[in-house]
Amino acid sequence: MRAALEQARIALEKGEVPVGAVLVSAGEIRARAHNSPITLHDPSAHAEILVLREAGQKLKNYRLINTELYVTVEPCIMCMGALVHARVQRLIFGALDPRAGAAGSVFNLTAHELLNHAMEVTAGVLESECRELIQDFFKSRRKSGAQ
């Protein structure tokens, strides 16, 4: 999770919402990414999507079997859909997202009986550090009047 937090801080430096992700396989980080929708002019450029893309290229497979995704904030519906399609085995995240979380907060796609893949979920890893980073970002945006 510390490596995901490093990625979130890179996003913060670039003016992006500070979310970071790393994908691990066989105990090694295979891919790292941070939110980049603003920089890339791409609404799908969430940290989770970008890390899946990078891992798929490196591992030469669109199925990311036996992998773990560490992400600083609970994934949204789009990202959870991608995790299911990629067959990620385990999701580990830091802070809950009570507005858009799809791993238990607002929706729980990880437990939907009609999906063809289920993944193990661990929430709350380095939760306070992850939560503070994202909350501080939005507090500063509100103070500055930024959109």
Side-chain angles (χ1 to χ4, degrees):
M1 187 60 76
R2 296 243 179 253
L5 275 163
E6 279 179 35
Q7 290 297 308
R9 289 185 186 99
I10 293 169
L12 181 64
E13 290 171 9
K14 294 180 176 181
E16 299 277 359
V17 175
V19 177
V22 296
L23 190 95
V24 174
S25 173
E28 290 185 39
I29 293 176
R30 304 299 179 160
R32 305 167 191 263
H34 55 274
N35 267 10
S36 296
I38 298 166
T39 306
L40 297 176
H41 310 290
D42 179 356
S44 70
H46 289 197
E48 300 93 327
I49 300 296
L50 296 175
V51 84
L52 293 177
R53 288 176 182 162
E54 182 182 329
Q57 291 298 308
K58 283 184 177 175
L59 299 173
K60 305 282 188 238
N61 199 334
Y62 73 107
R63 297 283 193 225
L64 303 174
I65 311 282
N66 299 319
T67 60
E68 298 178 333
L69 178 78
Y70 290 80
V71 63
T72 56
V73 178
E74 180 182 7
C76 69
I77 294 170
M78 173 184 68
C79 293
M80 283 305 303
L83 295 176
V84 168
H85 285 291
R87 306 296 194 268
V88 170
Q89 181 180 341
R90 184 173 176 219
L91 166 66
I92 303 99
F93 68 88
L96 294 170
D97 183 349
R99 296 181 133 190
S105 289
V106 178
F107 302 100
N108 193 357
L109 293 183
T110 62
H112 199 286
E113 67 279 353
L114 296 178
L115 293 176
N116 62 349
H117 176 69
M119 74 186 74
E120 181 184 339
V121 177
T122 303
V125 175
L126 297 180
E127 180 179 12
S128 60
E129 196 171 341
C130 294
R131 185 181 59 247
E132 286 173 24
L133 185 62
I134 195 117
Q135 284 178 340
D136 289 349
F137 171 79
F138 284 113
K139 282 179 192 172
S140 71
R141 301 263 307 179
R142 283 191 296 276
K143 283 181 187 176
S144 71
Q147 293 183 1

XYZ file of all heavy atoms in Angstrom, residues 77 80-81 84-85 87 91 102-121:
204
model
N -17.451 2.098 -9.912
C -18.105 1.051 -10.707
C -17.287 0.695 -11.948
O -17.106 -0.481 -12.266
C -19.521 1.490 -11.124
C -20.420 1.613 -9.900
C -20.133 0.522 -12.123
C -21.751 2.270 -10.197
N -14.223 -1.286 -10.868
C -14.585 -2.627 -10.391
C -14.946 -3.533 -11.563
O -14.585 -4.703 -11.573
C -15.742 -2.564 -9.393
C -15.330 -2.103 -8.010
S -13.994 -3.067 -7.265
C -14.689 -4.709 -7.288
N -15.648 -2.984 -12.551
C -15.963 -3.777 -13.741
C -14.699 -4.255 -14.429
O -14.594 -5.422 -14.833
N -13.058 -7.070 -12.411
C -13.767 -8.339 -12.615
C -13.370 -8.941 -13.961
O -13.023 -10.122 -14.043
C -15.297 -8.137 -12.521
C -16.050 -9.367 -13.020
C -15.708 -7.800 -11.093
N -13.392 -8.142 -15.016
C -13.038 -8.652 -16.356
C -11.589 -9.125 -16.426
O -11.279 -10.077 -17.136
C -13.310 -7.609 -17.432
C -14.758 -7.451 -17.732
N -15.504 -8.427 -18.357
C -15.607 -6.439 -17.474
C -16.753 -8.022 -18.477
N -16.845 -6.815 -17.934
N -10.009 -10.449 -14.010
C -9.899 -11.606 -13.100
C -8.866 -11.385 -11.996
O -8.155 -12.315 -11.587
C -9.574 -12.897 -13.842
C -10.504 -13.263 -14.987
C -11.916 -13.544 -14.510
N -12.716 -14.199 -15.506
C -13.496 -13.580 -16.392
N -13.562 -12.266 -16.399
N -14.214 -14.254 -17.268
N -8.446 -7.618 -4.099
C -8.428 -6.161 -4.051
C -8.138 -5.732 -2.630
O -8.808 -6.179 -1.697
C -9.790 -5.610 -4.499
C -10.072 -4.134 -4.204
C -9.133 -3.239 -5.012
C -11.523 -3.810 -4.499
N -17.550 1.034 -5.132
C -18.259 -0.130 -5.667
C -17.728 -1.449 -5.112
O -17.940 -2.506 -5.695
C -18.181 -0.119 -7.187
N -17.026 -1.373 -3.966
C -16.544 -2.593 -3.314
C -17.118 -2.688 -1.902
O -16.491 -3.208 -1.002
C -15.015 -2.599 -3.287
N -18.321 -2.123 -1.737
C -18.996 -2.236 -0.455
C -19.645 -0.973 0.066
O -20.602 -1.042 0.826
N -19.152 0.195 -0.320
C -19.708 1.443 0.220
C -21.067 1.788 -0.372
O -22.064 1.840 0.343
C -18.757 2.617 -0.010
O -17.643 2.499 0.820
N -21.113 2.040 -1.659
C -22.363 2.383 -2.343
C -22.916 1.145 -3.043
O -24.097 0.842 -2.951
C -22.145 3.521 -3.364
C -23.432 3.844 -4.106
C -21.611 4.765 -2.670
N -22.053 0.453 -3.734
C -22.379 -0.799 -4.424
C -21.397 -1.846 -3.935
O -20.343 -1.518 -3.402
C -22.223 -0.658 -5.947
C -23.070 0.427 -6.534
C -22.522 1.665 -6.841
C -24.424 0.227 -6.777
C -23.296 2.672 -7.381
C -25.207 1.227 -7.316
C -24.643 2.459 -7.614
N -21.733 -3.117 -4.175
C -20.787 -4.178 -3.862
C -20.710 -5.147 -5.028
O -21.311 -6.213 -4.998
C -21.151 -4.899 -2.567
C -20.010 -5.776 -2.088
O -18.980 -5.889 -2.756
N -20.185 -6.403 -0.956
N -19.969 -4.746 -6.036
C -19.834 -5.602 -7.214
C -19.003 -6.844 -6.942
O -19.098 -7.820 -7.679
C -19.219 -4.811 -8.371
C -20.091 -3.686 -8.932
C -19.414 -3.039 -10.119
C -21.463 -4.199 -9.325
N -18.217 -6.825 -5.885
C -17.388 -7.990 -5.587
C -18.220 -9.170 -5.101
O -17.750 -10.299 -5.136
C -16.326 -7.657 -4.523
O -16.990 -7.287 -3.316
C -15.426 -6.530 -4.978
N -19.442 -8.904 -4.662
C -20.277 -9.978 -4.117
C -21.519 -10.243 -4.964
O -22.384 -10.998 -4.545
C -20.695 -9.624 -2.695
N -21.595 -9.652 -6.137
C -22.795 -9.834 -6.960
C -22.820 -11.250 -7.530
O -21.897 -11.687 -8.214
C -22.844 -8.813 -8.087
C -24.209 -8.662 -8.661
N -24.783 -9.599 -9.465
C -25.125 -7.676 -8.506
C -25.995 -9.213 -9.805
N -26.223 -8.045 -9.232
N -23.911 -11.954 -7.249
C -24.005 -13.382 -7.610
C -24.089 -13.632 -9.110
O -23.827 -14.750 -9.569
C -25.202 -14.029 -6.905
C -26.566 -13.532 -7.347
C -27.015 -12.216 -6.710
O -26.343 -11.703 -5.811
O -28.044 -11.697 -7.136
N -24.428 -12.647 -9.905
C -24.544 -12.859 -11.349
C -23.227 -12.656 -12.106
O -23.127 -13.017 -13.269
C -25.622 -11.941 -11.940
C -27.038 -12.209 -11.445
C -28.016 -11.214 -12.052
C -27.460 -13.641 -11.740
N -22.236 -12.098 -11.450
C -20.945 -11.907 -12.112
C -20.187 -13.222 -12.158
O -20.286 -14.043 -11.247
C -20.123 -10.837 -11.395
C -20.684 -9.422 -11.486
C -19.845 -8.460 -10.655
C -20.750 -8.960 -12.933
N -19.384 -13.401 -13.203
C -18.678 -14.663 -13.393
C -17.329 -14.722 -12.680
O -16.573 -15.665 -12.871
C -18.477 -14.942 -14.885
C -17.632 -13.877 -15.559
O -17.358 -12.826 -14.993
N -17.240 -14.138 -16.790
N -17.010 -13.707 -11.888
C -15.754 -13.717 -11.146
C -15.968 -13.028 -9.812
O -16.562 -11.956 -9.742
C -14.656 -12.990 -11.941
C -13.365 -12.867 -11.201
N -12.553 -13.938 -10.922
C -12.751 -11.789 -10.651
C -11.492 -13.524 -10.252
N -11.583 -12.214 -10.076
N -15.478 -13.637 -8.779
C -15.532 -13.036 -7.440
C -14.095 -12.821 -6.982
O -13.208 -13.608 -7.310
C -16.262 -13.957 -6.475
N -13.880 -11.747 -6.253
C -12.537 -11.506 -5.743
C -12.589 -11.263 -4.242
O -13.592 -10.812 -3.715
C -11.877 -10.339 -6.477
C -12.387 -8.973 -6.123
S -11.677 -7.687 -7.164
C -12.559 -7.994 -8.680
N -11.500 -11.571 -3.623
C -11.349 -11.309 -2.197
C -11.101 -9.809 -2.023
O -10.398 -9.196 -2.823
C -10.148 -12.106 -1.676
C -9.879 -11.955 -0.216
C -8.616 -12.702 0.202
O -8.182 -13.631 -0.500
O -8.072 -12.313 1.249
N -11.678 -9.227 -0.987
C -11.521 -7.788 -0.743
C -11.045 -7.556 0.681
O -11.593 -8.125 1.624
C -12.843 -7.024 -0.967
C -12.681 -5.541 -0.638
C -13.335 -7.203 -2.383
